Amino acid sequence: MNRDFLKDLGIEANNSGAFDGKWLPTKAGQHPIRSPIDGSLIANVMAGDVDDYWRCSKAAQAAFLRWREVPPPKRGDYVRRMGDAFRAKKEQLGKLITLEGGKIVQEGLGEVQECIDIADFAVGLSRQLYGLTIASERPQHHMRETWHPLGCVGVITAFNFPMAVWAWNTMLALVCGDPCLWKPSHRTPLCAIALTKLAAEVLGPEWSALVPMILGHDSKVGHAMVGDPNMVLISATGSTRMGKNIGPRVAERFGRSLLELGGNNAIVVLADADLALATRAILFGAVGTAGQRCTSTRRLLIEKPIYDDLVGRLIKAYGQCKVGDPSDGKTLVGPLIDQDAGKTFDEAIATIRQQGGEILCGGKRAKVPAALQGGAYVEPTIVRAHAGMAIVKEETFAPILYAIPVKDADEALHLNNDVPQGLSSSIFTSNVREAERFLSAAGSDCGIANVNIGTSGAEIGGAFGGDKETGGGRESGSDCWKIYMRRQTSTVNWGKALPLAQGIHFGD
Ligand code: UN1
């Protein structure tokens, strides 16, 4: 793939990996960033150390003390211009996601669009940070709530959404009055550098410290961030294991955390479902992003009478899926992020066999041209599985789909919820009763529950996240902005008397 666009995004052969308002002369260690497409070198990033971290943290905190007093609609104006900057560079940014993250062109562009969409959402929000007015029980008193800026936000992101998750957090946090210090995945720091450059250019020297970033050389930088009392909120996306480390440490210092961790998302397909629709949705959910979304479809819970029909359709669709170079417009499945991810896939396939799963299609490394040998390409895989297999309860970040036959809707619902994770879920049915039951209090226990669409590809307008081992955080649309603000309750007495609440008389 032609790499001229890198210059356009300010990516050089050697890049600083820390920004505190200015790019720092980092020297903690050089990280060669290789493309998952073929293993070739894209550029080097010099990582930051703990001293660099504290520079970023201090700069962000100083910027916070000024930014919190800028009226929200004025803050929104900066975010509007950031959205415009992302629009102007949409194609280049999409290409960078493809080159550094391995996503196919359509998905790279879709991710940039998600950044643009959340910027637009945040601009509107900047005039709608509403609080309530509340009736007071006392005469000549009134009560109101005001939402104030919270403080610095530490944003930890994963390789699979190297731009959008930062944008979800940062666009909202900026209008709410908070700086965001970004610690991107060590696998995709160039995406972070490119976005930081665009955002900093819009903010100018006066405000660029609102969007600091740091690529950590080792775990010490992340450790410093999680323990830093200036980071009032830590918003972290990654594995459940990572969340188990971060959550308690942030709680220990009474910080807030927004955790977006593993998913193990199921699609229930009832016998009366539109199977053509279901097949397309399952294909995108299970195979899209090479199965590396936290919302990827990992389990199918299929009513027995249609099991063979649906699985047959899927095997046919999988057979037509082109695996290969993600920059080729015809490819639907690009590489896994790196060779370690390839090994994880191989190990999962071996475990599936040991646990009695039957590989119905895929299960091997994909054949790719010699030029792509440096990448980890795998065949999208369907497994005939049963719910008792331990691996079915785990999240494997690869395009492996467990197709599980179920007796009826009751069993499907039970199995949908019978995993430690709780991110996304869907049901395909034309029965309104079953559809509504799936969305009811006794239905799916996931943060996202859909009808007749797949588990992935959520719009930014809704709250995104899930419960149980998914971590409980919600980010992006709806009223998720509230986590970036502190709520203040005020009671104002405009009369001449001092009545006490609850009718208490105290010395009068
Ligand atoms: C993630 O995989 O961490 O709903 C985020 C989706 C995307 C976001 C996924 N909008 O699939």
Side-chain angles (χ1 to χ4, degrees), residues 14 39 79 140 163 165 181 183 187 194 196 224 230 267 289 337 340 351 385 387 410 438 469 487 491 498:
N14 295 297
V79 170
Q140 300 183 328
M163 294 190 183
V165 175
L181 201 173
K183 196 182 93 55
R187 296 179 181 108
T196 299
N230 275 343
I267 295 185
T289 329
I337 188 65
D340 284 350
T351 309
D410 286 352
F438 192 73
E469 287 193 2
R487 184 197 308 239
T491 307
L498 193 71

Side-chain angles (χ1 to χ4, degrees), residues 90-221:
K90 180 173 174 180
E91 200 186 307
Q92 295 90 323
L93 291 169
K95 282 185 177 162
L96 180 55
I97 295 175
T98 297
L99 181 64
E100 193 186 28
K103 285 193 188 184
I104 62 169
V105 176
Q106 278 298 308
E107 293 195 68
L109 291 171
E111 178 163 357
V112 183
Q113 188 60 44
E114 209 163 324
C115 301
I116 295 166
D117 292 344
I118 195 74
D120 287 355
F121 179 94
V123 177
L125 181 69
S126 71
R127 291 181 186 269
Q128 299 176 80
L129 301 170
Y130 301 137
L132 297 173
T133 58
I134 299 159
S136 169
E137 67 192 53
R138 289 170 276 190
Q140 300 183 328
H141 283 56
H142 68 80
M143 292 170 71
R144 69 165 186 252
E145 279 183 345
T146 313
W147 292 90
H148 291 303
L150 181 71
C152 297
V153 181
V155 179
I156 298 171
T157 58
F159 74 84
N160 67 333
F161 273 81
M163 294 190 183
V165 175
W166 169 81
W168 290 353
N169 284 279
T170 305
M171 299 303 107
L172 295 193
L174 285 175
V175 301
C176 291
D178 308 334
C180 278
L181 201 173
W182 187 5
K183 196 182 93 55
S185 162
H186 65 277
R187 296 179 181 108
T188 51
L190 299 175
C191 286
I193 290 172
L195 278 190
T196 299
K197 287 194 170 175
L198 287 176
E201 199 177 311
V202 167
L203 291 167
E206 190 187 3
W207 294 115
S208 57
L210 292 167
V211 290
M213 71 148 274
I214 184 158
L215 171 69
H217 178 54
D218 52 28
S219 60
K220 288 193 191 113
V221 166

Side-chain angles (χ1 to χ4, degrees), residues 233-255:
L233 168 66
I234 296 286
S235 173
T237 300
S239 65
T240 295
R241 198 165 56 89
M242 177 204 78
K244 279 187 177 156
N245 283 328
I246 293 178
R249 283 199 62 221
V250 176
E252 201 172 34
R253 60 175 175 83
F254 299 103

Side-chain angles (χ1 to χ4, degrees), residues 4 12 122 167 229 231 236 269 303 335 343 363 365 402 409 473 489 497-498 500:
D4 289 349
E12 287 157 26
M231 296 300 135
V269 189
E303 271 196 315
K343 275 192 214 106
R365 295 297 182 108
Y402 302 110
T489 305
L498 193 71
L500 298 180

Side-chain angles (χ1 to χ4, degrees), residues 151-405:
C152 297
V153 181
V155 179
I156 298 171
T157 58
F159 74 84
N160 67 333
F161 273 81
M163 294 190 183
V165 175
W166 169 81
W168 290 353
N169 284 279
T170 305
M171 299 303 107
L172 295 193
L174 285 175
V175 301
C176 291
D178 308 334
C180 278
L181 201 173
W182 187 5
K183 196 182 93 55
S185 162
H186 65 277
R187 296 179 181 108
T188 51
L190 299 175
C191 286
I193 290 172
L195 278 190
T196 299
K197 287 194 170 175
L198 287 176
E201 199 177 311
V202 167
L203 291 167
E206 190 187 3
W207 294 115
S208 57
L210 292 167
V211 290
M213 71 148 274
I214 184 158
L215 171 69
H217 178 54
D218 52 28
S219 60
K220 288 193 191 113
V221 166
H223 198 79
M225 177 188 261
V226 172
D228 178 358
N230 275 343
M231 296 300 135
V232 192
L233 168 66
I234 296 286
S235 173
T237 300
S239 65
T240 295
R241 198 165 56 89
M242 177 204 78
K244 279 187 177 156
N245 283 328
I246 293 178
R249 283 199 62 221
V250 176
E252 201 172 34
R253 60 175 175 83
F254 299 103
R256 287 186 197 178
S257 56
L258 191 172
L259 299 177
E260 213 267 273
L261 312 174
N264 190 349
N265 317 297
I267 295 185
V268 171
V269 189
L270 298 185
D272 62 12
D274 176 337
L275 293 190
L277 201 74
T279 302
R280 285 179 51 207
I282 294 162
L283 188 70
F284 178 65
V287 163
T289 329
Q292 298 174 109
R293 291 191 188 214
C294 54
T295 50
S296 291
T297 308
R298 313 219 173 271
R299 298 177 296 140
L300 280 186
L301 306 167
I302 312 167
E303 271 196 315
K304 278 180 189 150
I306 53 155
Y307 185 93
D308 290 340
D309 186 358
L310 179 62
V311 169
R313 289 173 192 239
L314 285 169
I315 291 173
K316 191 163 163 224
Y318 272 49
Q320 286 159 4
C321 247
K322 184 170 153 35
V323 181
D325 185 345
S327 66
D328 172 349
K330 293 197 198 72
T331 300
L332 289 186
V333 187
L336 295 179
I337 188 65
D338 57 18
Q339 296 300 344
D340 284 350
K343 275 192 214 106
T344 303
F345 171 86
D346 298 339
E347 284 160 17
I349 296 295
T351 309
I352 287 164
R353 290 210 165 94
Q354 274 161 23
Q355 294 183 0
E358 184 193 342
I359 310 287
L360 299 176
C361 72
K364 298 190 298 295
R365 295 297 182 108
K367 289 196 186 69
V368 289
L372 304 181
Q373 293 298 330
Y377 293 85
V378 302
E379 291 178 352
T381 302
I382 304 178
V383 179
R384 185 184 175 99
H386 57 87
M389 290 165 60
I391 196 166
V392 169
K393 299 208 173 178
E394 292 165 20
E395 178 187 49
T396 304
F397 237 47
I400 301 174
L401 180 64
Y402 302 110
I404 301 170

